[in-house]
C-alpha cells in the first residue's frame, strides 16, 4: 500500500516535525496512525495515511453517515435531527455573508446532497462535487441532483461562484495547497468561501486526547486549529472575515468517542461532555468542537 510520507509542513514549509499523538481507526480498520506537529507553525497532520487512490476502503462501511445516510442507532438519528436545524442556519449564513438571496454555489464534498438540495430549493444555481458513487446515487435518487465527480473541478471556469462551501471536507483532501489555489481562482472577487472543520484545540479534543472521534484517522489527514486555518487563508490570498462555533458537533463527537471507548451509558456520557463543551464554547468560541470559517479575497 502506498502511503503519504510528509517531510515538509504543507503550511509553512518547515521540516521540524515532532510526534504529537497516536490514534486508532475505530471506525473501519482498527489500525493505528501517528499525528505529527510542525514545531514552527503548530500544524498537526496525519502521517502514513494511504494515498488518495487507496484510501477508499477506509470509507467502506455502512455506518459512514455522510456517504450512506444511515439512520442506524440513536446517535445517527440525533445527527439527522441536528442536520435539519443546521441546514437552515447554513443557508442564512450564506445569504448574509454573500449579500445575495440567489446566486451561484459550489458545494465540494456534498455527500448525500442535503445541503446542495436545500440551496437549490432556495433558488441558488448549484454545482456539487462528491467522490463517493453511493452518495452521488443517493443525491440523484432523492433530490434529482446531478452531482459531479472530483475530476469536474478542473473544468469549472474561473470566477464562476458567489459562494463555495466545504462542510467537513477540507480535512479529507490530500492535495491541500492545490485545493486552496483552485478555490481562489473559482471564487468571484466579492464571493465568500465557507469552510467547516473539526477543531483539535477544542474542549472535547483536549478531554479525550487520542480517543477523540474527530481525529478520524486516516480519513482526516489535516487537523486545523483556528490559528492554522487563518494562516492557510492568508497564504492563499484570503482574509478571515468571520468564524463561528458549531457547538452541536461536540455532542455527536463525544457520544461517538464514548462508544469507541466501550463506555457504559455512552449516549449519556457523551451528552454530558457535549454540554460541558457547549458551555466552554460560549465562554470562548475558539474552543468549539468544530468551527465555521468565512473567507473573502484580500
Amino acid at each position: 500500500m502506498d502511503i503519504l510520507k510528509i517531510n515538509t509542513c504543507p503550511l509553512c514549509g518547515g521540516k521540524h516535525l515532532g510526534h504529537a499523538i497516536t490514534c486508532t481507526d475505530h471506525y473501519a480498520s482498527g489500525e493505528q496512525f501517528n499525528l505529527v506537529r510542525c514545531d514552527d507553525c503548530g500544524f498537526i497532520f496525519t502521517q502514513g495515511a494511504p494515498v488518495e487512490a487507496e484510501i477508499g476502503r477506509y470509507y467502506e462501511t455502512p455506518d459512514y453517515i455522510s456517504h450512506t445516510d444511515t439512520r442506524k442507532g440513536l446517535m445517527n438519528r440525533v445527527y439527522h435531527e441536528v442536520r435539519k436545524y443546521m441546514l437552515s442556519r447554513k443557508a442564512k449564513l450564506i445569504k448574509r455573508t454573500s449579500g445575495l438571496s440567489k446566486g451561484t454555489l459550489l458545494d465540494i464534498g456534498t455527500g448525500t446532497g442535503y445541503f446542495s438540495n436545500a440551496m437549490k430549493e432556495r433558488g441558488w444555481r448549484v454545482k456539487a462535487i462528491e467522490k463517493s458513487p453511493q452518495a452521488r446515487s443517493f443525491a440523484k435518487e432523492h433530490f434529482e441532483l446531478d452531482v459531479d465527480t472530483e475530476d469536474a473541478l478542473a473544468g469549472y471556469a474561473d470566477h464562476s461562484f458567489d459562494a463555495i462551501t466545504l462542510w467537513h471536507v477540507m480535512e479529507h483532501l490530500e492535495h491541500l495547497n492545490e485545493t486552496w489555489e483552485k478555490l481562489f481562482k473559482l471564487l468571484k472577487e466579492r464571493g465568500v468561501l465557507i469552510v467547516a472543520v473539526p477543531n483539535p484545540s477544542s474542549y472535547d479534543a483536549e478531554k479525550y486526547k487520542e480517543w477523540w472521534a474527530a481525529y478520524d484517522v486516516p480519513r482526516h489527514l489535516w487537523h486545523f486549529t483556528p490559528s492554522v486555518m487563518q494562516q492557510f487563508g492568508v497564504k492563499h490570498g484570503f482574509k478571515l472575515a468571520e468564524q463561528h462555533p458549531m457547538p452541536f458537533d461536540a455532542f455527536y463527537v463525544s457520544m461517538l468517542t464514548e462508544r469507541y471507548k466501550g463506555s457504559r451509558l455512552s449516549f449519556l456520557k457523551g451528552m454530558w461532555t457535549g454540554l460541558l463543551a457547549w458551555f466552554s464554547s460560549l465562554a470562548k468560541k475558539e474552543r468549539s468542537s468544530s468551527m465555521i470559517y468565512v473567507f473573502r479575497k484580500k
Side-chain angles (χ1 to χ4, degrees):
M1 180 176 68
D2 292 332
I3 63 172
L4 289 173
K5 178 61 177 176
I6 303 170
N7 298 313
T8 302
C9 174
L11 176 54
C12 72
K15 296 183 181 296
H16 304 103
L17 310 179
H19 179 264
I21 197 169
T22 299
C23 298
T24 301
D25 174 17
H26 297 283
Y27 212 76
S29 70
E31 298 171 26
Q32 289 190 323
F33 295 88
N34 291 322
L35 273 58
V36 298
R37 178 186 288 106
C38 175
D39 294 335
D40 297 315
C41 68
F43 187 28
I44 301 171
F45 44 92
T46 304
Q47 189 70 280
V51 297
E52 189 174 56
E54 300 188 26
I55 202 170
R57 70 181 181 89
Y58 292 89
Y59 290 89
E60 292 171 3
T61 164
D63 294 330
Y64 203 73
I65 191 167
S66 67
H67 288 179
T68 66
D69 206 55
T70 180
R71 295 178 184 268
K72 178 183 175 183
L74 181 58
M75 282 183 285
N76 286 333
R77 291 197 294 273
V78 170
Y79 175 96
H80 280 277
E81 290 305 312
V82 171
R83 179 168 59 187
K84 291 179 184 178
Y85 171 75
M86 287 304 297
L87 286 175
S88 175
R89 289 283 302 274
K90 291 173 180 178
K92 290 178 181 177
L93 176 65
I94 290 173
K95 180 179 180 180
R96 180 178 61 77
T97 56
S98 70
L100 300 171
S101 297
K102 300 177 183 179
T104 54
L105 170 77
L106 172 61
D107 185 37
I108 299 177
T110 197
T112 47
Y114 278 86
F115 172 72
S116 291
N117 181 62
M119 296 305 294
K120 185 180 74 170
E121 289 181 336
R122 287 166 170 79
W124 282 69
R125 300 184 301 281
V126 177
K127 289 286 188 181
I129 288 179
E130 172 56 47
K131 68 186 299 182
S132 166
Q134 184 180 10
R136 291 198 304 271
S137 295
F138 184 99
K140 179 65 175 179
E141 178 182 349
H142 290 79
F143 303 125
E144 297 184 355
L145 284 172
D146 293 315
V147 179
D148 292 331
T149 64
E150 303 168 275
D151 296 339
L153 191 65
Y156 298 148
D158 291 351
H159 313 296
S160 295
F161 299 101
D162 297 298
I164 301 176
T165 54
L166 298 92
W167 303 109
H168 288 288
V169 172
M170 185 75 79
E171 63 270 29
H172 294 262
L173 302 178
E174 178 179 324
H175 305 288
L176 186 57
N177 283 303
E178 294 88 340
T179 297
W180 277 96
E181 291 168 7
K182 185 62 175 176
L183 296 175
F184 185 88
K185 292 177 181 178
L186 292 176
L187 193 66
K188 293 181 180 180
E189 288 304 313
R190 302 177 70 86
V192 290
L193 169 65
I194 299 179
V195 181
V197 289
N199 176 18
S201 60
S202 65
Y203 172 91
D204 44 309
E206 293 181 358
K207 171 182 170 63
Y208 287 123
K209 298 182 172 58
E210 72 272 12
W211 287 96
W212 190 52
Y215 280 129
D216 200 23
V217 293
R219 290 160 296 274
H220 289 186
L221 303 174
W222 319 109
H223 311 281
F224 302 96
T225 63
S227 173
V228 162
M229 182 56 75
Q230 183 175 12
Q231 290 178 68
F232 263 108
V234 170
K235 178 180 179 179
H236 292 284
F238 292 97
K239 60 181 179 182
L240 181 62
E242 301 177 13
Q243 55 183 344
H244 303 281
M246 299 183 75
F248 286 119
D249 280 30
F251 292 93
Y252 180 78
V253 169
S254 297
M255 288 185 287
L256 191 57
T257 303
E258 293 289 351
R259 192 175 77 179
Y260 288 163
K261 294 179 70 176
S263 303
R264 296 181 60 188
L265 304 175
S266 60
F267 180 84
L268 293 177
K269 288 183 178 179
M271 287 291 287
W272 174 247
T273 298
L275 185 62
L276 295 177
W278 178 297
F279 284 124
S280 177
S281 68
L282 289 177
K284 188 177 181 181
K285 64 182 178 182
E286 291 83 1
R287 296 270 286 167
S288 179
S289 186
S290 294
M291 297 288 295
I292 297 173
Y293 302 93
V294 180
F295 292 99
R296 300 182 186 278
K297 290 185 175 183
K298 291 181 182 177

